[in-house]
Amino acid sequence: MDFVKRTIDLAMKNVEEGGRPFATVIVRDGEVIAESPNRVAQTKDPTAHAEILAIREACKKLGTEHLTDCDIYILASPCPMCLGSLYYCSPRQVIYITTREDYAPFYKDDRKYFELDSFYAEYSKPMGERRLPMVQRKDDAAIKVYERWKALNAG
């Protein structure tokens, strides 16, 4: 099976149905484990990106949070949220079919604090210099949550 073509077809079908132009197919041992188009427009959920939805489905189906023996096909280079999800599930490899630079003349997804052209640079800035207002309200009791987790999960 041509998983690149399947990813493209899934994204095209989503566009034809009013969705956004992104899709993900997750494969293990030559078999599709999970797949999803981007469902943000349909669900009004800004986290309903194709990668996130497909990773959730694959992990549920396989009963693990680790996709180390899977290949993940994505239509375009991932946004920061999806890139983080891809790192977290640790697939064997990610195959991306196009890049933001390639699709930029046709698609733009800017938000109040997010433009693809400059967003990755936000990560390297100190918290107080980022465009998204972030204020720490330190409370020493918060660390007790992590101490308790360690106590319950030590060993």
Side-chain angles (χ1 to χ4, degrees), residues 81-138:
M81 177 177 65
C82 293
L83 182 61
S85 296
L86 291 164
Y87 269 87
Y88 258 88
C89 73
S90 304
R92 180 175 32 232
Q93 66 179 335
V94 175
I95 300 94
Y96 63 97
I97 303 165
T98 190
T99 66
R100 290 187 303 277
E101 293 78 17
D102 291 338
Y103 72 68
F106 312 103
Y107 181 83
K108 192 170 183 83
D109 189 16
D110 290 342
R111 306 287 176 137
K112 182 175 181 180
Y113 302 113
F114 177 83
E115 293 91 18
L116 282 172
D117 295 346
S118 62
F119 191 78
Y120 282 97
E122 285 287 300
Y123 280 106
S124 63
K125 294 178 184 177
M127 291 269 205
E129 294 177 21
R130 293 181 183 169
R131 293 181 62 204
L132 177 66
M134 298 182 79
V135 178
Q136 183 179 21
R137 299 247 164 99
K138 194 163 177 75

Short mmCIF file of all heavy atoms in Angstrom, two decimals, residues 81-138:
data_model
loop_
_atom_site.label_atom_id
_atom_site.label_comp_id
_atom_site.label_asym_id
_atom_site.label_seq_id
_atom_site.Cartn_x
_atom_site.Cartn_y
_atom_site.Cartn_z
N MET A 81 2.72 22.05 18.34
CA MET A 81 1.92 21.15 19.18
C MET A 81 2.07 19.71 18.69
O MET A 81 2.30 18.79 19.49
CB MET A 81 0.45 21.58 19.17
CG MET A 81 -0.46 20.67 19.96
SD MET A 81 -2.18 21.23 20.01
CE MET A 81 -2.66 21.08 18.29
N CYS A 82 1.96 19.54 17.40
CA CYS A 82 2.06 18.19 16.84
C CYS A 82 3.48 17.66 16.93
O CYS A 82 3.69 16.47 17.19
CB CYS A 82 1.55 18.19 15.41
SG CYS A 82 -0.24 18.52 15.33
N LEU A 83 4.45 18.53 16.74
CA LEU A 83 5.84 18.10 16.87
C LEU A 83 6.09 17.58 18.28
O LEU A 83 6.71 16.53 18.46
CB LEU A 83 6.79 19.26 16.55
CG LEU A 83 8.28 18.94 16.60
CD1 LEU A 83 8.65 17.85 15.60
CD2 LEU A 83 9.10 20.21 16.35
N GLY A 84 5.57 18.28 19.28
CA GLY A 84 5.70 17.80 20.65
C GLY A 84 5.05 16.44 20.83
O GLY A 84 5.62 15.55 21.47
N SER A 85 3.88 16.24 20.26
CA SER A 85 3.20 14.95 20.36
C SER A 85 3.99 13.85 19.67
O SER A 85 4.04 12.72 20.17
CB SER A 85 1.81 15.04 19.72
OG SER A 85 1.02 15.94 20.43
N LEU A 86 4.59 14.18 18.55
CA LEU A 86 5.40 13.20 17.84
C LEU A 86 6.63 12.80 18.67
O LEU A 86 6.96 11.62 18.75
CB LEU A 86 5.82 13.74 16.47
CG LEU A 86 4.67 13.89 15.47
CD1 LEU A 86 5.07 14.79 14.31
CD2 LEU A 86 4.18 12.53 14.98
N TYR A 87 7.27 13.76 19.29
CA TYR A 87 8.39 13.44 20.17
C TYR A 87 7.93 12.58 21.34
O TYR A 87 8.61 11.62 21.72
CB TYR A 87 9.07 14.71 20.69
CG TYR A 87 10.19 15.19 19.81
CD1 TYR A 87 9.94 16.03 18.73
CD2 TYR A 87 11.50 14.80 20.04
CE1 TYR A 87 10.97 16.47 17.92
CE2 TYR A 87 12.54 15.23 19.23
CZ TYR A 87 12.26 16.08 18.17
OH TYR A 87 13.28 16.51 17.36
N TYR A 88 6.79 12.91 21.92
CA TYR A 88 6.31 12.16 23.08
C TYR A 88 6.01 10.70 22.75
O TYR A 88 6.30 9.81 23.54
CB TYR A 88 5.06 12.83 23.67
CG TYR A 88 5.35 13.62 24.91
CD1 TYR A 88 5.74 14.95 24.83
CD2 TYR A 88 5.26 13.05 26.17
CE1 TYR A 88 6.02 15.69 25.97
CE2 TYR A 88 5.53 13.77 27.32
CZ TYR A 88 5.92 15.09 27.21
OH TYR A 88 6.20 15.81 28.33
N CYS A 89 5.42 10.42 21.61
CA CYS A 89 5.08 9.03 21.29
C CYS A 89 6.25 8.28 20.66
O CYS A 89 6.21 7.06 20.55
CB CYS A 89 3.83 8.95 20.41
SG CYS A 89 4.05 9.47 18.70
N SER A 90 7.29 8.98 20.26
CA SER A 90 8.56 8.39 19.81
C SER A 90 8.43 7.33 18.72
O SER A 90 8.84 6.18 18.90
CB SER A 90 9.31 7.79 21.01
OG SER A 90 9.51 8.75 22.00
N PRO A 91 7.88 7.70 17.57
CA PRO A 91 7.77 6.70 16.48
C PRO A 91 9.15 6.36 15.92
O PRO A 91 10.13 7.06 16.17
CB PRO A 91 6.93 7.44 15.44
CG PRO A 91 7.25 8.88 15.65
CD PRO A 91 7.42 9.02 17.14
N ARG A 92 9.18 5.29 15.14
CA ARG A 92 10.42 4.91 14.46
C ARG A 92 10.88 6.05 13.55
O ARG A 92 12.04 6.41 13.53
CB ARG A 92 10.21 3.62 13.67
CG ARG A 92 11.46 3.17 12.94
CD ARG A 92 11.33 1.84 12.21
NE ARG A 92 10.01 1.57 11.70
CZ ARG A 92 9.33 0.45 11.93
NH1 ARG A 92 9.84 -0.50 12.68
NH2 ARG A 92 8.13 0.27 11.42
N GLN A 93 9.91 6.61 12.80
CA GLN A 93 10.21 7.76 11.94
C GLN A 93 8.92 8.48 11.57
O GLN A 93 7.84 7.90 11.65
CB GLN A 93 10.96 7.34 10.67
CG GLN A 93 10.16 6.47 9.73
CD GLN A 93 10.92 6.10 8.47
OE1 GLN A 93 11.82 6.81 8.05
NE2 GLN A 93 10.56 4.99 7.87
N VAL A 94 9.07 9.74 11.19
CA VAL A 94 7.97 10.56 10.68
C VAL A 94 8.29 10.88 9.22
O VAL A 94 9.38 11.35 8.91
CB VAL A 94 7.81 11.86 11.49
CG1 VAL A 94 6.75 12.76 10.87
CG2 VAL A 94 7.47 11.55 12.94
N ILE A 95 7.35 10.59 8.37
CA ILE A 95 7.50 10.89 6.94
C ILE A 95 6.57 12.05 6.63
O ILE A 95 5.35 11.92 6.73
CB ILE A 95 7.12 9.67 6.07
CG1 ILE A 95 8.03 8.47 6.39
CG2 ILE A 95 7.21 10.02 4.59
CD1 ILE A 95 7.47 7.54 7.41
N TYR A 96 7.15 13.22 6.31
CA TYR A 96 6.31 14.37 5.96
C TYR A 96 6.38 14.55 4.45
O TYR A 96 7.42 14.34 3.83
CB TYR A 96 6.70 15.62 6.73
CG TYR A 96 8.08 16.15 6.46
CD1 TYR A 96 8.30 17.17 5.55
CD2 TYR A 96 9.19 15.61 7.12
CE1 TYR A 96 9.57 17.66 5.31
CE2 TYR A 96 10.47 16.09 6.88
CZ TYR A 96 10.65 17.11 5.98
OH TYR A 96 11.91 17.58 5.73
N ILE A 97 5.27 14.95 3.87
CA ILE A 97 5.13 14.95 2.42
C ILE A 97 5.39 16.32 1.81
O ILE A 97 5.93 16.42 0.72
CB ILE A 97 3.74 14.40 2.02
CG1 ILE A 97 3.57 12.98 2.62
CG2 ILE A 97 3.56 14.36 0.51
CD1 ILE A 97 2.15 12.46 2.63
N THR A 98 5.03 17.37 2.51
CA THR A 98 5.29 18.72 2.02
C THR A 98 5.72 19.60 3.20
O THR A 98 5.72 19.15 4.34
CB THR A 98 4.07 19.30 1.27
OG1 THR A 98 4.44 20.51 0.62
CG2 THR A 98 2.90 19.56 2.20
N THR A 99 6.09 20.83 2.91
CA THR A 99 6.55 21.75 3.95
C THR A 99 5.68 23.00 3.98
O THR A 99 4.95 23.30 3.03
CB THR A 99 8.00 22.20 3.70
OG1 THR A 99 8.03 22.98 2.49
CG2 THR A 99 8.94 21.00 3.57
N ARG A 100 5.79 23.73 5.08
CA ARG A 100 5.07 25.00 5.19
C ARG A 100 5.45 25.94 4.06
O ARG A 100 4.61 26.65 3.52
CB ARG A 100 5.37 25.66 6.54
CG ARG A 100 4.75 24.95 7.71
CD ARG A 100 4.92 25.72 9.00
NE ARG A 100 6.30 26.02 9.34
CZ ARG A 100 7.12 25.18 9.95
NH1 ARG A 100 6.71 23.99 10.30
NH2 ARG A 100 8.36 25.54 10.22
N GLU A 101 6.71 25.95 3.72
CA GLU A 101 7.18 26.84 2.64
C GLU A 101 6.50 26.49 1.32
O GLU A 101 6.16 27.36 0.54
CB GLU A 101 8.70 26.77 2.50
CG GLU A 101 9.46 27.32 3.70
CD GLU A 101 9.52 26.38 4.91
OE1 GLU A 101 9.26 25.16 4.77
OE2 GLU A 101 9.80 26.88 6.02
N ASP A 102 6.29 25.19 1.08
CA ASP A 102 5.65 24.75 -0.16
C ASP A 102 4.17 25.15 -0.20
O ASP A 102 3.65 25.54 -1.24
CB ASP A 102 5.76 23.24 -0.33
CG ASP A 102 7.18 22.77 -0.59
OD1 ASP A 102 8.01 23.58 -1.06
OD2 ASP A 102 7.47 21.59 -0.32
N TYR A 103 3.47 25.02 0.92
CA TYR A 103 2.04 25.30 0.87
C TYR A 103 1.67 26.73 1.25
O TYR A 103 0.51 27.13 1.12
CB TYR A 103 1.23 24.28 1.68
CG TYR A 103 1.32 24.35 3.19
CD1 TYR A 103 0.78 25.41 3.91
CD2 TYR A 103 1.90 23.32 3.93
CE1 TYR A 103 0.83 25.46 5.29
CE2 TYR A 103 1.95 23.35 5.31
CZ TYR A 103 1.41 24.43 5.99
OH TYR A 103 1.45 24.46 7.35
N ALA A 104 2.63 27.54 1.67
CA ALA A 104 2.36 28.92 2.11
C ALA A 104 1.56 29.76 1.10
O ALA A 104 0.70 30.53 1.52
CB ALA A 104 3.66 29.62 2.48
N PRO A 105 1.79 29.62 -0.21
CA PRO A 105 1.00 30.43 -1.14
C PRO A 105 -0.49 30.08 -1.15
O PRO A 105 -1.32 30.84 -1.65
CB PRO A 105 1.60 30.12 -2.51
CG PRO A 105 2.95 29.56 -2.23
CD PRO A 105 2.85 28.88 -0.91
N PHE A 106 -0.85 28.93 -0.58
CA PHE A 106 -2.22 28.44 -0.67
C PHE A 106 -2.97 28.37 0.66
O PHE A 106 -4.19 28.29 0.68
CB PHE A 106 -2.22 27.04 -1.29
CG PHE A 106 -1.37 26.95 -2.52
CD1 PHE A 106 -0.12 26.36 -2.48
CD2 PHE A 106 -1.81 27.49 -3.72
CE1 PHE A 106 0.67 26.29 -3.60
CE2 PHE A 106 -1.03 27.43 -4.86
CZ PHE A 106 0.22 26.83 -4.80
N TYR A 107 -2.24 28.37 1.76
CA TYR A 107 -2.88 28.17 3.07
C TYR A 107 -2.15 28.96 4.13
O TYR A 107 -0.93 28.92 4.22
CB TYR A 107 -2.86 26.68 3.45
CG TYR A 107 -3.53 26.40 4.77
CD1 TYR A 107 -4.91 26.25 4.85
CD2 TYR A 107 -2.79 26.30 5.94
CE1 TYR A 107 -5.53 26.01 6.07
CE2 TYR A 107 -3.40 26.05 7.16
CZ TYR A 107 -4.77 25.90 7.22
OH TYR A 107 -5.38 25.67 8.42
N LYS A 108 -2.92 29.66 4.98
CA LYS A 108 -2.35 30.42 6.07
C LYS A 108 -3.21 30.19 7.30
O LYS A 108 -4.44 30.21 7.22
CB LYS A 108 -2.32 31.90 5.71
CG LYS A 108 -1.49 32.76 6.63
CD LYS A 108 -1.33 34.14 6.02
CE LYS A 108 -0.47 35.03 6.84
NZ LYS A 108 0.95 34.87 6.63
N ASP A 109 -2.59 29.97 8.45
CA ASP A 109 -3.34 29.68 9.67
C ASP A 109 -2.77 30.52 10.81
O ASP A 109 -2.13 30.01 11.71
CB ASP A 109 -3.26 28.19 10.02
CG ASP A 109 -4.21 27.82 11.14
OD1 ASP A 109 -5.12 28.61 11.47
OD2 ASP A 109 -4.04 26.73 11.72
N ASP A 110 -2.97 31.81 10.76
CA ASP A 110 -2.46 32.69 11.80
C ASP A 110 -3.48 32.84 12.93
O ASP A 110 -4.67 32.92 12.70
CB ASP A 110 -2.14 34.08 11.22
CG ASP A 110 -0.94 34.03 10.30
OD1 ASP A 110 -0.17 33.06 10.38
OD2 ASP A 110 -0.77 34.97 9.51
N ARG A 111 -2.97 32.90 14.12
CA ARG A 111 -3.77 33.09 15.32
C ARG A 111 -3.24 34.31 16.05
O ARG A 111 -2.23 34.89 15.66
CB ARG A 111 -3.67 31.85 16.23
CG ARG A 111 -3.99 30.54 15.57
CD ARG A 111 -5.47 30.42 15.33
NE ARG A 111 -5.79 29.19 14.61
CZ ARG A 111 -6.79 28.41 14.92
NH1 ARG A 111 -7.58 28.72 15.93
NH2 ARG A 111 -7.05 27.34 14.21
N LYS A 112 -3.86 34.66 17.14
CA LYS A 112 -3.46 35.86 17.88
C LYS A 112 -1.98 35.83 18.26
O LYS A 112 -1.28 36.81 18.11
CB LYS A 112 -4.32 36.00 19.14
CG LYS A 112 -4.02 37.25 19.94
CD LYS A 112 -4.98 37.42 21.09
CE LYS A 112 -4.65 38.69 21.87
NZ LYS A 112 -5.57 38.87 22.99
N TYR A 113 -1.50 34.72 18.79
CA TYR A 113 -0.11 34.62 19.22
C TYR A 113 0.71 33.68 18.33
O TYR A 113 1.83 33.33 18.67
CB TYR A 113 -0.03 34.10 20.66
CG TYR A 113 -0.78 34.95 21.64
CD1 TYR A 113 -1.91 34.47 22.29
CD2 TYR A 113 -0.36 36.25 21.93
CE1 TYR A 113 -2.59 35.25 23.20
CE2 TYR A 113 -1.04 37.04 22.83
CZ TYR A 113 -2.16 36.53 23.47
OH TYR A 113 -2.84 37.31 24.37
N PHE A 114 0.15 33.26 17.23
CA PHE A 114 0.77 32.19 16.45
C PHE A 114 0.79 32.50 14.97
O PHE A 114 -0.26 32.64 14.35
CB PHE A 114 -0.03 30.90 16.70
CG PHE A 114 0.45 29.72 15.91
CD1 PHE A 114 1.52 28.97 16.37
CD2 PHE A 114 -0.17 29.36 14.74
CE1 PHE A 114 1.96 27.87 15.66
CE2 PHE A 114 0.27 28.26 14.01
CZ PHE A 114 1.32 27.52 14.48
N GLU A 115 1.96 32.64 14.42
CA GLU A 115 2.15 32.66 12.98
C GLU A 115 3.22 31.62 12.69
O GLU A 115 4.26 31.59 13.35
CB GLU A 115 2.63 34.02 12.45
CG GLU A 115 1.61 35.13 12.57
CD GLU A 115 1.74 35.88 13.88
OE1 GLU A 115 2.79 35.79 14.53
OE2 GLU A 115 0.77 36.55 14.27
N LEU A 116 2.99 30.77 11.72
CA LEU A 116 3.95 29.71 11.42
C LEU A 116 5.34 30.26 11.12
O LEU A 116 6.35 29.65 11.48
CB LEU A 116 3.46 28.86 10.25
CG LEU A 116 2.39 27.84 10.60
CD1 LEU A 116 1.84 27.19 9.35
CD2 LEU A 116 2.90 26.78 11.57
N ASP A 117 5.41 31.41 10.48
CA ASP A 117 6.71 31.98 10.10
C ASP A 117 7.62 32.26 11.28
O ASP A 117 8.83 32.18 11.18
CB ASP A 117 6.53 33.29 9.32
CG ASP A 117 5.84 33.08 7.99
OD1 ASP A 117 5.73 31.93 7.54
OD2 ASP A 117 5.39 34.08 7.41
N SER A 118 7.04 32.60 12.43
CA SER A 118 7.86 33.03 13.55
C SER A 118 7.66 32.22 14.83
O SER A 118 8.35 32.46 15.82
CB SER A 118 7.55 34.51 13.86
OG SER A 118 6.19 34.65 14.21
N PHE A 119 6.76 31.27 14.83
CA PHE A 119 6.39 30.63 16.07
C PHE A 119 7.52 29.86 16.74
O PHE A 119 7.69 29.92 17.96
CB PHE A 119 5.19 29.72 15.90
CG PHE A 119 4.65 29.26 17.23
CD1 PHE A 119 3.87 30.11 17.99
CD2 PHE A 119 4.95 28.02 17.73
CE1 PHE A 119 3.39 29.72 19.23
CE2 PHE A 119 4.48 27.62 18.97
CZ PHE A 119 3.69 28.47 19.71
N TYR A 120 8.31 29.12 15.99
CA TYR A 120 9.37 28.32 16.62
C TYR A 120 10.35 29.20 17.39
O TYR A 120 10.89 28.77 18.41
CB TYR A 120 10.09 27.46 15.58
CG TYR A 120 9.28 26.24 15.20
CD1 TYR A 120 8.48 26.23 14.07
CD2 TYR A 120 9.30 25.10 16.00
CE1 TYR A 120 7.73 25.12 13.74
CE2 TYR A 120 8.55 23.98 15.68
CZ TYR A 120 7.77 24.00 14.54
OH TYR A 120 7.02 22.90 14.22
N ALA A 121 10.56 30.43 16.97
CA ALA A 121 11.45 31.34 17.69
C ALA A 121 10.91 31.69 19.07
O ALA A 121 11.68 32.01 19.97
CB ALA A 121 11.67 32.62 16.87
N GLU A 122 9.60 31.60 19.26
CA GLU A 122 8.99 31.88 20.55
C GLU A 122 9.54 30.94 21.63
O GLU A 122 9.69 31.34 22.78
CB GLU A 122 7.47 31.74 20.50
CG GLU A 122 6.76 32.86 19.81
CD GLU A 122 6.74 34.13 20.64
OE1 GLU A 122 6.19 34.12 21.76
OE2 GLU A 122 7.28 35.14 20.16
N TYR A 123 9.82 29.71 21.28
CA TYR A 123 10.30 28.74 22.27
C TYR A 123 11.64 29.12 22.87
O TYR A 123 11.93 28.78 24.01
CB TYR A 123 10.43 27.34 21.63
CG TYR A 123 9.11 26.62 21.54
CD1 TYR A 123 8.47 26.47 20.31
CD2 TYR A 123 8.50 26.08 22.65
CE1 TYR A 123 7.26 25.80 20.21
CE2 TYR A 123 7.29 25.42 22.57
CZ TYR A 123 6.68 25.28 21.34
OH TYR A 123 5.50 24.63 21.25
N SER A 124 12.47 29.77 22.10
CA SER A 124 13.81 30.10 22.60
C SER A 124 13.82 31.37 23.46
O SER A 124 14.83 31.67 24.09
CB SER A 124 14.79 30.25 21.44
OG SER A 124 14.40 31.31 20.61
N LYS A 125 12.72 32.09 23.50
CA LYS A 125 12.64 33.30 24.31
C LYS A 125 12.35 32.96 25.77
O LYS A 125 11.64 31.99 26.05
CB LYS A 125 11.51 34.21 23.80
CG LYS A 125 11.72 34.77 22.43
CD LYS A 125 10.50 35.60 22.04
CE LYS A 125 10.60 36.12 20.63
NZ LYS A 125 9.37 36.85 20.25
N PRO A 126 12.85 33.76 26.71
CA PRO A 126 12.45 33.57 28.11
C PRO A 126 10.93 33.78 28.23
O PRO A 126 10.34 34.53 27.45
CB PRO A 126 13.21 34.68 28.84
CG PRO A 126 14.31 35.09 27.93
CD PRO A 126 13.83 34.84 26.53
N MET A 127 10.32 33.13 29.20
CA MET A 127 8.86 33.19 29.36
C MET A 127 8.32 34.61 29.31
O MET A 127 7.32 34.86 28.66
CB MET A 127 8.44 32.55 30.68
CG MET A 127 8.65 31.07 30.72
SD MET A 127 7.20 30.21 30.17
CE MET A 127 7.45 28.66 31.00
N GLY A 128 8.95 35.54 29.99
CA GLY A 128 8.47 36.91 30.06
C GLY A 128 8.55 37.68 28.76
O GLY A 128 7.94 38.74 28.63
N GLU A 129 9.27 37.16 27.77
CA GLU A 129 9.40 37.85 26.48
C GLU A 129 8.53 37.24 25.39
O GLU A 129 8.51 37.74 24.26
CB GLU A 129 10.87 37.83 26.04
CG GLU A 129 11.78 38.63 26.94
CD GLU A 129 13.24 38.53 26.52
OE1 GLU A 129 13.51 38.19 25.34
OE2 GLU A 129 14.10 38.78 27.38
N ARG A 130 7.81 36.20 25.70
CA ARG A 130 6.96 35.55 24.70
C ARG A 130 5.71 36.39 24.45
O ARG A 130 5.27 37.15 25.31
CB ARG A 130 6.57 34.15 25.16
CG ARG A 130 7.79 33.24 25.20
CD ARG A 130 7.42 31.85 25.61
NE ARG A 130 8.62 31.03 25.70
CZ ARG A 130 8.65 29.83 26.24
NH1 ARG A 130 7.55 29.30 26.74
NH2 ARG A 130 9.77 29.16 26.28
N ARG A 131 5.14 36.24 23.28
CA ARG A 131 3.94 36.99 22.92
C ARG A 131 2.73 36.60 23.76
O ARG A 131 1.88 37.42 24.06
CB ARG A 131 3.63 36.77 21.44
CG ARG A 131 4.70 37.38 20.54
CD ARG A 131 4.40 37.19 19.08
NE ARG A 131 3.15 37.88 18.76
CZ ARG A 131 2.38 37.55 17.73
NH1 ARG A 131 2.71 36.58 16.93
NH2 ARG A 131 1.27 38.21 17.50
N LEU A 132 2.64 35.32 24.13
CA LEU A 132 1.55 34.86 24.96
C LEU A 132 1.82 35.28 26.40
O LEU A 132 2.83 34.90 26.97
CB LEU A 132 1.45 33.32 24.90
CG LEU A 132 0.40 32.67 25.78
CD1 LEU A 132 -1.01 33.06 25.33
CD2 LEU A 132 0.58 31.16 25.76
N PRO A 133 0.95 36.09 27.00
CA PRO A 133 1.20 36.50 28.38
C PRO A 133 1.23 35.28 29.31
O PRO A 133 0.29 34.49 29.33
CB PRO A 133 0.01 37.40 28.70
CG PRO A 133 -0.52 37.84 27.38
CD PRO A 133 -0.25 36.70 26.44
N MET A 134 2.32 35.14 30.06
CA MET A 134 2.46 34.02 30.99
C MET A 134 2.96 34.57 32.32
O MET A 134 3.97 35.27 32.35
CB MET A 134 3.43 32.98 30.45
CG MET A 134 2.96 32.35 29.14
SD MET A 134 4.08 31.09 28.52
CE MET A 134 3.63 29.72 29.57
N VAL A 135 2.24 34.28 33.39
CA VAL A 135 2.58 34.77 34.72
C VAL A 135 2.68 33.58 35.65
O VAL A 135 1.75 32.76 35.72
CB VAL A 135 1.49 35.74 35.23
CG1 VAL A 135 1.80 36.21 36.64
CG2 VAL A 135 1.32 36.92 34.28
N GLN A 136 3.78 33.46 36.37
CA GLN A 136 3.91 32.38 37.34
C GLN A 136 3.35 32.83 38.68
O GLN A 136 3.62 33.94 39.13
CB GLN A 136 5.36 31.95 37.52
CG GLN A 136 5.48 30.78 38.47
CD GLN A 136 6.90 30.30 38.67
OE1 GLN A 136 7.86 31.02 38.44
NE2 GLN A 136 7.04 29.06 39.14
N ARG A 137 2.56 31.98 39.30
CA ARG A 137 2.05 32.19 40.65
C ARG A 137 2.57 31.02 41.48
O ARG A 137 1.90 30.00 41.62
CB ARG A 137 0.53 32.22 40.67
CG ARG A 137 -0.05 33.34 39.83
CD ARG A 137 -0.74 34.38 40.71
NE ARG A 137 -0.96 35.60 39.95
CZ ARG A 137 -2.10 35.92 39.38
NH1 ARG A 137 -3.13 35.12 39.45
NH2 ARG A 137 -2.21 37.06 38.73
N LYS A 138 3.77 31.16 41.96
CA LYS A 138 4.45 30.08 42.65
C LYS A 138 3.74 29.72 43.95
O LYS A 138 3.31 30.58 44.71
CB LYS A 138 5.89 30.48 42.93
CG LYS A 138 6.78 29.33 43.34
CD LYS A 138 8.24 29.73 43.19
CE LYS A 138 9.17 28.64 43.64
NZ LYS A 138 9.28 27.55 42.70
#
